[in-house]
Each structure stands twice: as C-alpha cells, then as structure tokens.
Amino acid sequence: MAFGFTQTMLHLPQPSAKLQSKGLLMLSTAFTRSFSVLASVGLANIRTMSSTPASFTAMLIEDAGNKKTKSSLQTLKVEDLPPYDVLVKVEYSTLNYKDGLAIAGKGRICRRLPMVGGIDLAGTVVSNESSDSGFKEGDRVVVNGFGMSETEWGGYSGYAKLKPEWLVNVPEAFSLEQAMGIGTAGYTSMLCVNAIRDHGVTPDDGPILVTGASGGVGSVAVHLLSKLGYQVHASSGRPSTHEYLKSLGATAIIDRKDLDRDSKPLEKEVWAGSVDTVGSKTLASVIAQTKYGGVVTACGLVGGMDLPSSVAPFILRGVALQGIDSVMAPREKRERAWKDLAELLDPSVMKDIYKVEPMSELPKLAEDIVAGQIQGRVVIKVD
C-alpha cells in the first residue's frame, strides 16, 4: 500500500497570500546573507592566495640510509604542507639541542621522514579554516612543542600549517623575534620556575640551583629566578660564562665537576629547589643535596637518560622530583607561562640572552650546539 502524503490527505490549510509574501521575504533575506558569507569567504581565499608566494624555503630532513638522516634547504609549496587548518607565515624559529641532533644527523629525533626541522616558531596567521578557533588573519602567534620536528613538521619553513589548539597568542610585550629569543627553552624555564613556586618554595627557604646554566633553558631560568628574589647558584663547566651568568643574576657559580660525579644517597642539604637540564649523575647529586621538603625540576638529559640515585632523599627528606614536559603541556599552563614571561623578563637583558642567525647557518650551528659550544639562545630568521 503506497503512502502518498498529499496536502489533501493531511488536511493542511492553504497559506494566505500574506504568509506567502512573508515566506518569500524570509527566503530572500536568507539567500542574501548566505551569498554574502560565501562572497566574504571567497574574497578571503583570494587575499590568502595573493599573499602567499608560489614557493618558499624550508630545512628538510630526509632518510640517508643505514638509519641516518641528512638535512638541506629545499624549496616547497603550500600544497606540500600538512593538511591542518591554520596557515602561518613563519618569521622566526630557534635552535635547541634536539634541533641540533636532528639537523646534524646525530640522533634519530625525527620519527617520520621527510621532516621539516624546528621545534618552535613565531609568526603571523594568514588564514584559518577552522570554525571553532579564535585565531584570525593577522594574529601574532607562537607554537612550542606538540611533536614539531619529531612527528609534525616544524618551524624551519617560510610557511607552516598548524592545528589551532597548538597556538598561543604572543604577548604584546614581545616582538616575534623576542618571542623566539625566549622560545621553547625560555618557556620551559618558566614552567620549571612556576613548578618551584607552586611547590611553595620561597626565597627565604634557601638558594636555588640551575644546572647547565649557560644554555638556553638555564640562562633564562637564572634571570627569572633572580627577578623573583631567589638566591641563584649557577652550575657551568666553562669559566668563560661566569661573568655572563652573574650579569643574569647568579650569586654563585658551581663547577660542573662538583655535580657530575658518583654521589652518595644523601649528602649535605644545600638547595631549596633546582632547575636541572642535565640529568644522569648531575641530577642524582642535586637530589642528594636538596633540602628537606625541597623540589627538583627535571627538564633535560644532555648528560644522559639514566638516574643513578636512590629512594633515600624522597622517603627521608620528602624531596619532590617534578618532571617538566614542555611538548604536550595543556593550554592553561602555556598561557600562564607566557603571561609570566611578559611580566618578568627584562627586555634590556634579553638582547644578551640570544643572537639571530639565518637558516643557511643551521648546519654549522647544529654541530656547535651538540658540541656544547653555544652560549644562551640562538634565534633563526626564517627567510
């Protein structure tokens, strides 16, 4: 049996002429609005197309065989980028230890190839195809981590396509260059300092130790802790960096050899807290010398991934070992860190913390940072 749902069978009343007229008006208005939206989207796409060059340069890391990689500057197009929603014109990136390993081919950092290097970036939004993001054309943004240079294409590229949830607005206090002068290293430093503050450690509790103090994370941490009123002891193995560290606020210099050694389970209590970028024996020594109830923030492994320590400091002194992850940290932690950086970092000091180099220098700079020959931060001008 067929079901013919006609107007007669359902006994629907015929609409009046007035209602018909009103319906046509509503339909016309809706069409006009829809057309306007489509037209604006079309114009936006035209503007995006006209403002995006046909090609741009990127540092591409590729498979060289025998479990090795090679890197080189190559020409890419926007169509080559990952299929993510936000297109960003990249202005600056940075050089970090992990970047150095990847570019120099001295560690299998990239978990898929080919890969664009650079674990962070700062730039300007060109377009946003996401319907649920607050980022718009012209917004200045920064991205730290989220697997860039490992599983996701990174910042050594004239343009990048990114997920909107990765982005954080650059504070007005910083230029894009300064934002990368801070970069992932400075942002990680702020995460460490906030963990020390959140643990309840105050300047009255005793000195704070920073290991690997002349590096990117360490140098910013020294300055931040000093600005907050802490007595900062900086560990470094290079005498040439001592005056530099003192200029950042360090009140004492600890020789690297005093920490990079076999330590006892418990040693003399010295530090109320610490920022450790080294790991291995150095971290074990720091833990053994941490005061009762103190906190050790661990964010690096340049000395090794092992930890030759014991449970004694944790169960006898209540020492807390706080791991710091900058790669997948939630947005609220990121936004807090960048807000705090804007309030604490002295722009006059920042110029001494970093230098700017072109992408063409990346191969040499990568070798230098792996060899421990880089002081402070290196900002990469992407062009």
Side-chain angles (χ1 to χ4, degrees), residues 60-64 66-71 94-120 145-154 156 301-302 305 327 366 369-370:
L60 201 66
I61 303 167
E62 300 175 283
D63 191 353
N66 296 322
K67 296 183 179 181
K68 294 184 179 180
T69 59
K70 60 181 180 179
S71 58
T94 64
L95 177 70
N96 296 274
Y97 186 75
K98 190 183 294 184
D99 296 316
L101 291 173
I103 298 298
K106 296 189 175 181
R108 196 65 184 235
I109 301 299
C110 307
R111 284 183 263 167
R112 65 182 181 86
L113 297 168
M115 176 62 61
V116 171
I119 68 171
D120 51 18
F146 288 110
M148 290 202 305
S149 192
E150 295 180 65
T151 58
E152 304 288 353
W153 280 21
Y156 298 157
L301 44 71
V302 295
M305 292 186 67
V327 176
I369 198 169
V370 171

Side-chain angles (χ1 to χ4, degrees), residues 152-365:
E152 304 288 353
W153 280 21
Y156 298 157
S157 175
Y159 285 81
K161 275 197 166 183
L162 309 160
K163 294 182 179 181
E165 56 266 31
W166 296 352
L167 309 181
V168 173
N169 285 306
V170 175
E172 290 297 325
F174 301 133
S175 65
L176 292 177
E177 178 186 306
Q178 290 173 327
M180 282 295 96
I182 299 165
T184 293
Y187 148 71
T188 302
S189 300
M190 194 71 248
L191 292 176
C192 292
V193 172
N194 281 342
I196 291 172
R197 293 198 290 177
D198 292 346
H199 191 74
V201 177
T202 70
D204 294 334
D205 293 326
I208 306 296
L209 174 68
V210 178
T211 67
S214 61
V217 174
S219 56
V220 178
V222 169
H223 178 61
L224 291 171
L225 289 163
S226 176
K227 288 279 287 185
L228 287 167
Y230 291 96
Q231 183 183 354
V232 185
H233 291 188
S235 171
S236 173
R238 290 181 285 162
S240 61
T241 66
H242 292 183
E243 290 305 314
Y244 164 70
L245 292 170
K246 289 177 181 177
S247 74
L248 295 177
T251 57
I253 305 297
I254 309 298
D255 194 301
R256 178 193 302 163
K257 295 178 182 177
D258 293 340
L259 299 170
D260 186 15
R261 58 174 173 76
D262 293 329
S263 59
K264 299 175 182 178
L266 290 173
E267 298 188 355
K268 181 181 178 180
E269 297 180 44
V270 182
W271 326 111
S274 61
V275 175
D276 178 66
T277 69
V278 179
S280 191
K281 293 181 179 180
T282 296
L283 178 55
S285 296
V286 173
I287 293 171
Q289 295 178 19
T290 299
K291 288 186 173 185
Y292 187 93
V295 60
V296 179
T297 61
C299 65
L301 44 71
V302 295
M305 292 186 67
D306 61 319
L307 180 55
S309 183
S310 76
V311 299
F314 309 117
I315 64 175
L316 297 179
R317 290 182 179 169
V319 172
L321 177 59
Q322 176 67 61
I324 303 298
D325 167 46
S326 62
V327 176
M328 302 303 292
R331 178 182 290 275
E332 56 269 23
K333 278 192 175 182
R334 293 170 179 270
E335 291 179 339
R336 177 194 174 189
W338 279 100
K339 177 177 177 293
D340 290 345
L341 285 164
E343 294 175 355
L344 292 172
L345 268 184
D346 186 346
S348 65
V349 173
M350 285 184 62
K351 62 182 177 60
D352 297 324
I353 293 178
Y354 73 87
K355 62 179 180 179
V356 181
E357 298 283 357
M359 275 208 302
S360 58
E361 290 295 310
L362 274 171
K364 178 182 181 303
L365 292 167

